[in-house]
Amino acid sequence: MSGPALHLAVEIDGDGAHSAAWRRAAHSPDQLLTPRRVARVAAIAENAGFTLITLDDGVLPPGAAPNPVGRIGAVERAAFVAASTSTVGIAPVVPVTYAEPFHVAGQLASLDHISGGRAGWVVTEETHPEASRAWGRPLIADAAARARESRDGVEVARALWDSWEDDAVIRSVATSRYLDRERLHYIDFTSQTYAVKGPAIVPRPPQGQIVVLGGPDRVPAAQLDVALVAGRDLTAVTTAAAAAGTPRVFAEVEVALDTPEATAAERVADLERHASWTDRGRLRHLGSADRLIALLGELSRHVDGVRLHPLVLDEDLPVLSRLVLPALSERRLVARPLPGTSLRSALGLQRPANRFAPAAVQEDAR
């Protein structure tokens, strides 16, 4: 663990963690897919002091009618948010079950350049058979095979981010040379389903390696910077955190908070009339801001951060911003990102050396 300060992340896809959250949103449904909506929510999270925002995604619609059945791609939303924020980290969800890792690596490297080094990547899987048809790819139905695709995808992306050395771009007017081709490298990766030679088409990200987050049950711990661990109670969460084996560990927590208008239980009951709140095996807090503060204080003894999944963003995010984060800050329990720092720096992670650079080669030879 990095220390006593807790890093807080928040998932801001859609209107909230409940599939019927849009029914309690403070905007009309047609505003959900607008740039103004995305920018407003991201600004609230940044001003509150969150270290990171995440943006869920998948090739299939996020829900079924009458719920919203569309979303803008997470990478596209992340790029838009990057231009309108300055301190918060931004991590889109990008499954590589069927997507081409070469293109994913380039998109994420571009996001890191746009954001000035604030990009992350949440690695997940496409589990529905319909996803394979949408991609026009053979179905990967086996859980072990999906885990293999995630593992290989992360390995390819990390190699591609190193395929440009940091000083490969020389921009020499005198010699009319933009690149030093000796500092570009082929990665020559072959898996069971594809081969990638490289190099990348985007220069090395400002962070060197983008912060990779994911479940250690799906991606090997050695490939992750941040493990996202779940459990229905504190014991399960702390056990998973202790076994993660990654530089940083974030707990997954779903929250429904008391508001001036209604209690958490009343708000959940109102939404349950339309659909049940899907059980994803995560710790769930229903109740007051004070009790959540106490829970986060307890979690800070076991994990480096927490990713919050608010029931309804328009109702829970203001309470988090007004009551929870200020109280945690006053108690010095949260780490607020500083202007001009990368996401890696905010999380206390070092910028890794390039595997192809001479200095790195010499270090490995020792």
Side-chain angles (χ1 to χ4, degrees):
M1 291 177 59
S2 59
L6 197 67
H7 301 283
L8 292 183
V10 60
E11 169 58 51
I12 66 168
D13 178 64
D15 280 315
H18 197 289
S19 61
W22 63 276
R23 295 179 180 275
R24 297 187 63 91
H27 63 87
S28 58
D30 65 320
Q31 295 299 305
L32 180 61
L33 301 182
T34 62
R36 181 177 298 178
R37 163 70 181 174
V38 176
R40 184 178 71 83
V41 175
I44 293 172
E46 179 172 63
N47 292 336
F50 281 96
T51 300
L52 179 68
I53 58 175
T54 63
L55 295 152
D56 199 6
D57 202 3
V59 70
L60 299 177
N67 298 319
V69 292
R71 57 156 61 108
I72 301 170
V75 174
E76 290 78 7
R77 283 179 287 160
F80 179 80
V81 167
S84 60
T85 55
S86 58
T87 60
V88 70
I90 307 160
V93 168
V94 187
V96 284
T97 309
Y98 301 107
E100 296 285 351
F102 183 89
H103 299 307
V104 170
Q107 290 173 330
L108 293 171
S110 298
L111 175 62
D112 206 41
H113 283 284
I114 294 168
S115 65
R118 293 181 287 124
W121 173 22
V122 182
V123 183
T124 60
E125 299 175 355
E126 298 275 17
T127 58
H128 297 287
E130 294 84 356
S132 66
R133 293 196 292 270
W135 279 102
R137 300 281 299 276
L139 174 65
I140 302 176
D142 182 71
R146 290 196 300 270
R148 180 199 67 219
E149 293 299 313
S150 294
R151 180 192 68 234
D152 290 349
V154 174
E155 184 175 345
V156 167
R158 287 196 178 279
L160 286 168
W161 294 331
D162 276 346
S163 65
W164 290 51
E165 294 183 35
D166 288 319
D167 52 359
V169 179
I170 55 178
R171 297 186 178 93
S172 173
V173 176
T175 61
S176 298
R177 294 173 66 211
Y178 178 73
L179 295 173
D180 181 350
R181 62 187 301 174
E182 297 301 320
R183 296 173 187 173
L184 300 183
H185 304 276
Y186 293 103
I187 68 169
D188 292 323
F189 179 89
T190 301
S191 74
Q192 293 186 31
T193 53
Y194 57 82
V196 179
K197 193 174 184 65
I201 58 174
V202 179
R204 195 175 193 228
Q207 296 184 96
Q209 290 282 317
I210 290 164
V211 176
V212 179
L213 307 90
D217 56 333
R218 298 178 178 179
V219 182
Q223 292 183 322
L224 294 174
D225 297 296
V226 180
L228 299 174
V229 299
R232 292 184 175 85
D233 54 45
L234 270 173
T235 300
V237 171
T238 56
T239 300
T246 52
R248 300 289 179 265
V249 180
F250 276 36
E252 301 271 40
V253 179
E254 297 175 340
V255 295
L257 295 169
D258 296 339
T259 69
E261 291 76 27
T263 66
E266 289 170 343
R267 294 171 54 228
V268 171
D270 179 51
L271 294 178
E272 294 285 280
R273 294 186 297 112
H274 306 284
S276 60
W277 191 357
T278 303
D279 183 356
R280 294 181 173 86
R282 298 169 180 157
L283 186 62
R284 187 173 286 180
H285 168 81
L286 278 69
S288 68
D290 287 340
R291 285 179 50 209
L292 177 60
I293 292 166
L295 172 63
L296 294 176
E298 175 64 25
L299 284 170
S300 70
R301 299 168 51 195
H302 307 282
V303 298
D304 304 287
V306 173
R307 181 165 69 146
L308 300 175
H309 300 261
L311 178 77
V312 180
L313 281 169
D314 286 346
E315 293 181 324
D316 293 290
L317 193 53
V319 179
L320 291 168
S321 303
R322 189 172 60 251
L323 300 180
V324 177
L325 272 79
L328 292 171
S329 180
E330 184 177 351
R331 301 178 193 186
R332 298 185 178 180
L333 285 177
V334 293
R336 188 184 184 103
L338 299 175
T341 59
S342 69
L343 179 56
R344 296 192 74 86
S345 296
L347 295 175
L349 299 169
Q350 292 186 343
R351 187 180 189 275
N354 190 308
R355 71 188 70 187
F356 296 110
V361 173
Q362 292 170 11
E363 185 68 24
D364 291 341
R366 293 178 183 176

